[in-house]
């Protein structure tokens, strides 16, 4: 409830309840690709597959501008779904596993990928419906780039009190600059889902 998605050490299993996990897997089953950053991939070692609902697992996409993913990461070693490992120009592009394709994108002045470059690259691979799953920095970058049509925020009845924020965006001076998108709320077990429309394309 305090906007944290993990403790300061990165522990986050599990903040949300089972029904929220089912909802997340349902979203994965509806998209072509699911995207996470290298920090989330390294900390959580996720599978990013559809296991709690029926459906086809999306292409898994990891944004790794500095090539810091460990070689034994589940996404890189388990061929349960196709995987795109997007790296910066200074990272070697050879892949040891057939299910992993390494792609190179330029970095911006902050040493990160432009979200719109990522979306364009995924479109070139035929991946048009994309879920930006995490973590907080990656989601924030895509929101600020105007690359997110709809945002789902799941709030658990839990107070962590410190730790990693769910969103970390450019500071604003007044609330007139804050985003106030049309929002619906739904019960999701003990959690609350905020369904926020960030662009007209989300209607």
């Amino acid at each position: 409830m305090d906007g944290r998605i993990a403790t300061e050490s990165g522990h986050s299993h599990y903040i949300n309840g089972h029904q929220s996990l089912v909802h997340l897997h349902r979203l994965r089953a509806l998209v072509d690709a699911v995207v996470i950053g290298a920090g989330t991939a390294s900390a959580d070692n996720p599978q990013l597959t559809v296991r709690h609902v029926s459906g086809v697992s999306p292409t898994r996409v990891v944004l790794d501008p500095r090539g810091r993913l460990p070689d034994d990461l589940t996404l890189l070693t388990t061929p349960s779904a196709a995987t795109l490992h997007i790296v910066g120009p200074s990272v070697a592009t050879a892949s040891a596993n057939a299910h992993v394709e390494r792609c190179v994108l330029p970095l911006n002045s902050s040493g990160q990928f432009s979200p719109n470059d990522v979306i364009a690259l995924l479109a070139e691979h035929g991946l048009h419906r994309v879920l930006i799953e995490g973590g907080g920095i990656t989601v924030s970058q895509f929101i600020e780039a105007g690359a997110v049509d709809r945002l789902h925020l799941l709030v658990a009845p839990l107070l962590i009190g410190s730790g990693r924020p769910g969103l970390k965006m450019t500071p604003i001076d007044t609330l007139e600059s804050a985003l106030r998108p049309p929002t619906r709320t739904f019960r999701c077990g003990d959690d609350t889902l905020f369904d926020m429309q960030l662009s007209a394309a989300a209607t």
Side-chain angles (χ1 to χ4, degrees):
M1 297 182 75
D2 51 16
R4 307 293 181 175
I5 59 171
T7 65
E8 291 183 355
S9 67
H11 186 257
S12 62
H13 292 201
Y14 285 104
I15 290 175
N16 297 110
H18 178 72
Q19 290 191 36
S20 293
L21 186 60
V22 171
H23 174 71
L24 173 59
H25 284 221
R26 187 177 296 116
L27 289 179
R28 290 178 185 170
L30 292 172
V31 300
D32 302 318
V34 55
V35 177
I36 62 172
T40 296
S42 298
D44 295 349
N45 195 20
Q47 298 182 56
L48 300 185
T49 54
V50 174
R51 301 183 303 283
H52 292 284
V53 300
S54 59
V56 178
S57 293
T59 296
R60 307 174 297 189
V61 181
V62 188
L63 307 181
D64 187 18
R66 293 179 295 282
R68 59 192 176 109
L69 290 186
D71 292 335
D72 61 352
L73 199 72
T74 297
L75 296 174
L76 302 181
T77 59
T78 306
S80 50
T83 303
L84 293 182
H85 182 196
I86 303 178
V87 299
S90 63
V91 180
T93 57
S95 176
N97 297 296
H99 74 283
V100 179
E101 178 183 353
R102 288 214 173 106
C103 304
V104 178
L105 282 179
L107 305 181
N108 59 27
S109 58
S110 300
Q112 302 293 326
F113 301 124
S114 162
N116 290 313
D117 286 349
V118 174
I119 296 297
L121 175 65
L122 298 183
E124 291 174 3
H125 283 74
L127 307 172
H128 301 283
R129 193 172 176 89
V130 179
L131 170 64
I132 310 299
E133 187 167 317
I137 292 176
T138 298
V139 173
S140 299
Q141 290 171 346
F142 277 76
I143 291 174
E144 291 204 308
V148 175
D149 296 326
R150 174 166 255 111
L151 177 66
H152 278 192
L153 289 178
L154 280 158
V155 178
L158 178 70
L159 295 172
I160 299 177
S162 63
R164 301 181 183 182
L167 295 173
K168 189 173 183 180
M169 300 169 70
T170 303
I172 58 175
D173 293 325
T174 65
L175 290 180
E176 284 75 11
S177 301
L179 297 175
R180 293 183 184 270
T183 301
R184 301 181 298 167
T185 60
F186 303 91
R187 294 296 299 176
C188 201
D190 290 333
D191 301 337
T192 301
L193 168 65
F194 290 81
D195 175 21
M196 312 176 80
Q197 180 185 323
L198 298 187
S199 79
T203 58

